[in-house]
């Protein structure tokens, strides 16, 4: 009846071909070993050329540009003038202009206190033009 060979255990071949997996692993390993030193060399080369520019190409060094007006205000506690102090000074100057006599910005005019201007305008008779 039964065959002696049918009862002995055998090795079953795998369904997956491992050759592509081994090749992929080898390529990955070579990449991990070669790419970081190549990048290190490249960055060092860039750093060397960036920090030591060719002196023959530099004819003159222009002064650094200044910031155009209006310039940024200082940080409270570190720089003056700070925004709050600037605003308080602006309000004081505005109040002083509103409540004092003086020359106006336009030539031929004068500035009068706002209270006096209101009194002058309120006492002026209104005129109506006929249609």
């Amino acid at each position: 009846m039964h065959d002696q060979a049918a009862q002995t255990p055998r090795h079953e071949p795998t369904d997956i071909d491992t050759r592509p997996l081994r090749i992929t692993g080898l390529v990955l390993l070579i990449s991990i070993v070669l790419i970081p030193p190549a990048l290190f060399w490249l960055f060092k080369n860039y750093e060397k050329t960036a920090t030591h520019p060719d002196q023959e190409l530099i004819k003159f060094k222009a002064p650094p540009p200044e910031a155009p007006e209006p310039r940024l205000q200082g940080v409270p506690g570190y720089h003056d003038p700070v925004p709050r102090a600037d605003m308080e000074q602006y309000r004081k100057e505005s109040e002083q202009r509103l409540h004092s006599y003086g020359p106006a910005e336009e030539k031929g005019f004068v500035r009068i206190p706002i209270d006096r201007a209101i009194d002058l305008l309120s006492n002026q008779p209104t005129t109506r033009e006929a249609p």
Side-chain angles (χ1 to χ4, degrees), residues 10-98:
R10 296 182 322 171
H11 173 66
E12 185 174 316
T14 179
D15 292 339
I16 300 173
D17 184 17
T18 58
R19 186 169 187 253
L21 185 62
R22 287 181 293 184
I23 292 173
T24 303
L26 184 64
V27 168
L28 184 64
L29 181 65
I30 291 172
S31 299
I32 289 173
V33 170
L34 293 180
I35 290 176
L39 287 174
F40 182 77
W41 174 82
L42 183 67
F43 289 149
K44 285 295 180 185
N45 189 24
Y46 286 159
E47 183 181 16
K48 183 176 67 173
T49 58
T51 56
H52 303 292
D54 192 3
Q55 295 297 324
E56 295 173 6
L57 296 176
I58 300 174
K59 302 283 186 214
F60 62 92
K61 187 169 184 170
E66 291 188 16
E69 293 292 339
R71 297 202 172 124
L72 294 177
Q73 295 175 323
V75 176
Y78 294 101
H79 305 98
D80 285 329
V82 294
R84 179 174 289 142
D86 279 349
M87 194 61 177
E88 288 174 7
Q89 180 182 356
Y90 174 72
R91 285 185 180 142
K92 286 178 186 176
E93 290 172 0
S94 296
E95 286 293 320
Q96 190 270 334
R97 275 195 311 271
L98 283 174

